[in-house]
Amino acid sequence: MFPDATETQPYTRSMAAARSAEPSSRRATTRVTDAPEHRWPAIAAVAVAVVIYTLLPSSFIAVPRFILPVVTTVMAIPLIILNPHHFTRETAWSRWLGIGLAAVLVCFNQVEVIGIFKELLSGSAHGPSVLLNAAQVWATDIIAFGLAYWELDGRGPVSRRLPDDPEPRDFRFPQEDLGRPVPWRPAFFDYLYFSLSNMMAFSPTDVMPFTTRAKALMGLQAITGYALLALVIARAVNILT
């Protein structure tokens, strides 16, 4: 459920080769993939979220504008150095750092949601500005929670790709419910799409949460999505009229 005390968890092609030497009857039920997940989709999504944040007007930013870009850059650099192209290694510190990066994005975005409500309640909100900024925060929320789901599920992207991964999963995807072993593991885009669907439907669609923390995160995201789509946008339309 949380990072353990092991110093490193390498995942290499040699592990896949060792698995191939086992009897085929055993491999059919345990070996699911021999390809580590690519690093750059997640980093690109973080960069997009940071850019969207920096484009928000100053009235919606509760802390100095430079803090989020600096913090995310400082946290991302060691992770990129450890796994520059694919997720092949994991340490205790990199596990916590990855979770921390996702938590920073989620927390900053929730602060911006509060800022939007503050503008509305003060009566100083300008209709077009509120609509634009609500859309920016909404998009960032999808990325932030998608990153959080991706980092937390089954101890992260490295552990999910290990043969015979013993870690319990936080989410269950439909591809994993076919009744037979399949050579598939969820990647970052799967969690990003799941985050989008939760933001739109305010409930699970095809992916089901299994753990308390997964349900708590989904509940928080659904409340945020409902507030932005149903309340903030409705208020902004009233201001426009």
Side-chain angles (χ1 to χ4, degrees):
M1 179 175 178
F2 295 101
D4 52 32
T6 56
E7 185 63 25
T8 185
Q9 267 194 327
Y11 175 80
T12 63
R13 300 284 180 179
S14 60
M15 295 178 63
R19 296 297 300 171
S20 65
E22 296 180 0
S24 59
S25 59
R26 185 180 178 187
R27 291 202 314 269
T29 59
T30 58
R31 182 177 182 274
V32 293
T33 181
D34 60 358
E37 188 173 346
H38 206 285
R39 150 67 66 191
W40 290 103
I43 290 297
V46 171
V48 170
V50 171
V51 169
I52 293 175
Y53 173 84
T54 58
L55 294 177
L56 288 170
S58 299
S59 60
F60 289 91
I61 298 180
V63 297
R65 191 184 300 271
F66 69 88
I67 289 182
L68 182 63
V70 170
V71 171
T72 53
T73 300
V74 169
M75 297 178 77
I77 287 176
L79 296 174
I80 295 174
I81 293 174
L82 181 66
N83 292 305
H85 301 293
H86 295 85
F87 289 93
T88 58
R89 293 181 295 170
E90 182 181 80
T91 64
W93 65 262
S94 69
R95 176 76 182 126
W96 281 112
L97 198 59
I99 294 174
L101 180 58
V104 165
L105 287 178
V106 170
C107 290
F108 266 80
N109 204 64
Q110 297 307 110
V111 170
E112 300 317 312
V113 172
I114 295 173
I116 291 177
F117 276 102
K118 182 180 178 182
E119 289 288 315
L120 288 172
L121 294 175
S122 67
S124 60
H126 187 249
S129 175
V130 172
L131 282 173
L132 176 60
N133 292 302
Q136 290 175 308
V137 173
W138 186 82
T140 308
D141 211 56
I142 294 172
I143 297 173
F145 277 93
L147 189 69
Y149 299 146
W150 175 71
E151 283 284 3
L152 289 175
D153 187 26
R155 287 194 71 251
V158 173
S159 181
R160 286 194 300 269
R161 299 301 176 108
L162 293 175
D164 294 329
D165 176 24
E167 293 296 329
R169 298 286 299 280
D170 294 270
F171 301 99
R172 187 75 173 180
F173 286 79
Q175 292 92 332
E176 299 169 313
D177 267 335
L178 299 178
R180 64 181 185 278
V182 292
W184 184 87
R185 280 291 185 268
F188 176 74
F189 186 80
D190 298 294
Y191 293 94
L192 190 64
Y193 171 77
F194 165 51
S195 179
L196 171 64
S197 64
N198 188 50
M199 207 57 181
M200 296 288 291
F202 317 127
S203 64
T205 52
D206 58 342
V207 180
M208 300 303 297
F210 277 5
T211 62
T212 300
R213 67 181 182 183
K215 295 173 184 178
L217 278 174
M218 288 187 64
L220 177 61
Q221 186 186 23
I223 291 172
T224 304
Y226 179 83
L228 289 172
L229 291 177
L231 300 179
V232 176
I233 295 178
R235 175 59 176 159
V237 171
N238 289 336
I239 294 174
L240 284 173
T241 58

